[in-house]
């Protein structure tokens, strides 16, 4: 039987706190989503001023990064690079801003952020990931 680390409430809270701190430091109104390794939502935080659609987009970015085991930007890059057949993949968050959480070589979940420019979304997500993954 295999064993692997999983995200607890403590880690999920640490991720949200670190991502929120990064967003607030830069005065960015975003939504932050944390998903488990199966792409299931563990936590969602929509900061004041973020559009309601941010909750949907952040969740899908997290789901895409968790299920795909890679940053969601890689899917965006493939599609923009001409691999349009990838549009048929069952991933609704193929936009920059979803970052997997890797612990001991295993993807244990992902963080998705939406609300500002794509590289800034990813910056916030990475801040959350770094709080638990090194």
């Amino acid at each position: 039987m295999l064993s692997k680390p999983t995200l607890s409430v403590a880690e999920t809270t640490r991720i949200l706190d670190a991502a929120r701190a990064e967003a607030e430091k830069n005065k960015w109104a975003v939504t932050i989503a944390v998903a488990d390794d199966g792409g299931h939502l563990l936590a969602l935080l929509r900061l004041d001023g973020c559009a309601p659609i941010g909750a949907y987009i952040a969740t899908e970015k997290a789901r895409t990064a968790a299920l795909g085991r890679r940053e969601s930007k890689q899917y965006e890059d493939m599609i923009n690079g001409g691999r349009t057949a990838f549009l048929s993949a069952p991933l609704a968050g193929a936009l920059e801003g979803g970052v997997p959480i890797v612990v001991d070589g295993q993807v244990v979940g992902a963080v998705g952020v939406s609300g500002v420019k794509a590289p800034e979304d990813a910056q916030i997500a990475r801040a959350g990931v770094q709080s638990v993954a090194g």
Side-chain angles (χ1 to χ4, degrees):
M1 180 156 313
L2 299 176
S3 297
K4 67 175 184 171
T6 59
L7 295 173
S8 70
V9 171
E11 286 88 28
T12 301
T13 301
R14 192 171 344 145
I15 292 164
L16 279 179
D17 289 346
R20 179 181 183 176
E22 182 68 18
E24 289 178 341
K25 175 181 82 174
N26 291 289
K27 297 181 176 30
W28 292 333
V30 298
T31 297
I32 304 157
V34 181
D36 67 12
D37 62 331
H40 304 285
L41 192 61
L42 295 173
L44 182 76
L45 177 64
R46 189 173 63 156
L47 299 180
D48 294 342
C50 183
I53 196 166
Y56 176 81
I57 295 170
T59 300
E60 291 304 318
K61 288 179 179 182
R63 185 182 333 271
T64 295
L67 292 174
R69 308 294 197 243
R70 64 183 76 183
E71 288 202 27
S72 56
K73 182 181 185 332
Q74 291 181 16
Y75 294 107
E76 181 180 15
D77 290 345
M78 283 190 289
I79 293 164
N80 289 341
R83 194 165 180 209
T84 56
F86 218 88
L87 289 168
S88 65
L91 302 171
L95 301 167
E96 185 173 4
V99 178
I101 303 164
V102 181
V103 176
D104 296 333
Q106 298 288 321
V107 173
V108 298
V111 179
V113 177
S114 180
V116 287
K117 294 177 183 174
E120 296 164 348
D121 286 345
Q123 176 182 332
I124 296 164
R126 285 188 197 101
V129 169
Q130 290 171 356
S131 74
V132 295

